[in-house]
Structures are given as structure tokens and as C-alpha cells.
Amino acid sequence: MHSDTMNATTSAAGRAAAGNATDTDFTGTQPSWFYKQLGDRTYESSIHTQGAWNAHEQHMAPVAGILTRELELHQPRPDLRMARLNFDILGLIPAGQFTIETKT
């Protein structure tokens, strides 16, 4: 992987969200990744995270993957596992560049 893409994790969420920023789909025109890592917890979404109704919003499925990955990386404890996550979606999730902040 290149330094400008997400680091691989052992979680399914991390593997689903990770991608090589220089890879393109079989047509060679679109990126094959969901999110490009721009910096520490800063990402840019690709067209593959796009929602069904608006080109400027993201679908919740890829967003859930990237949020789960960040939660797994925040103060990990090998003796515990996340069993269930719930998300309250209170509006559209804009596409583009964003930063995820986790707090305890």
C-alpha cells in the first residue's frame, strides 16, 4: 500500500474501507477505494461511497465501516471486542474530505 492510503487492519471494517489510492476499477477511470487517507484521521471519500439519491452525499454502509475502524483503533483492548454498534442518522452525510475524532 502507498503511504497516502489507509493502513490495513485485521478487522473486516478496516479491510472493507482500505484501498490503494492509485488503483482504478477495471475501466481505468474510477478509483477502486472507498476512502483515501489524507492525514491522521482525515479522509476523502470516493464515488463508491455515494448515496442513492444525491451525488454529494455518502451511503451509510461505507461510513459505518470507516467509523468502526476508527473506534477499533482508539484505545484498543485485546481482551474486549465490539459486539454491536448503532448509528443515529440525523441528516445527510456529505461526500468529500472529512476528519474523524474519537474521544473517551
Side-chain angles (χ1 to χ4, degrees):
M1 258 190 216
H2 297 282
S3 62
D4 60 347
T5 59
M6 277 190 222
N7 295 325
T9 67
T10 57
S11 73
R15 287 192 307 273
N20 186 326
T22 59
D23 288 349
T24 56
D25 67 0
F26 65 94
T27 65
T29 59
Q30 295 181 357
S32 61
W33 42 268
F34 289 109
Y35 297 103
K36 179 179 179 182
Q37 189 166 16
L38 302 175
D40 188 34
R41 293 182 302 277
T42 300
Y43 302 93
E44 180 180 359
S45 62
S46 74
I47 191 169
H48 302 300
T49 66
Q50 185 175 338
W53 296 279
N54 297 307
H56 62 279
E57 70 176 328
Q58 296 183 64
H59 189 277
M60 187 58 203
V63 173
I66 193 79
L67 290 175
T68 302
R69 177 183 184 272
E70 286 293 327
L71 287 171
E72 288 177 334
L73 294 175
H74 179 71
Q75 298 181 344
R77 288 188 47 190
D79 58 324
L80 295 177
R81 287 186 158 184
M82 282 188 272
R84 181 178 178 157
L85 296 171
N86 293 310
F87 301 98
D88 291 327
I89 307 166
L90 303 176
L92 71 85
I93 305 164
Q97 187 174 328
F98 61 94
T99 301
I100 300 172
E101 182 179 343
T102 52
K103 296 180 182 180
T104 311

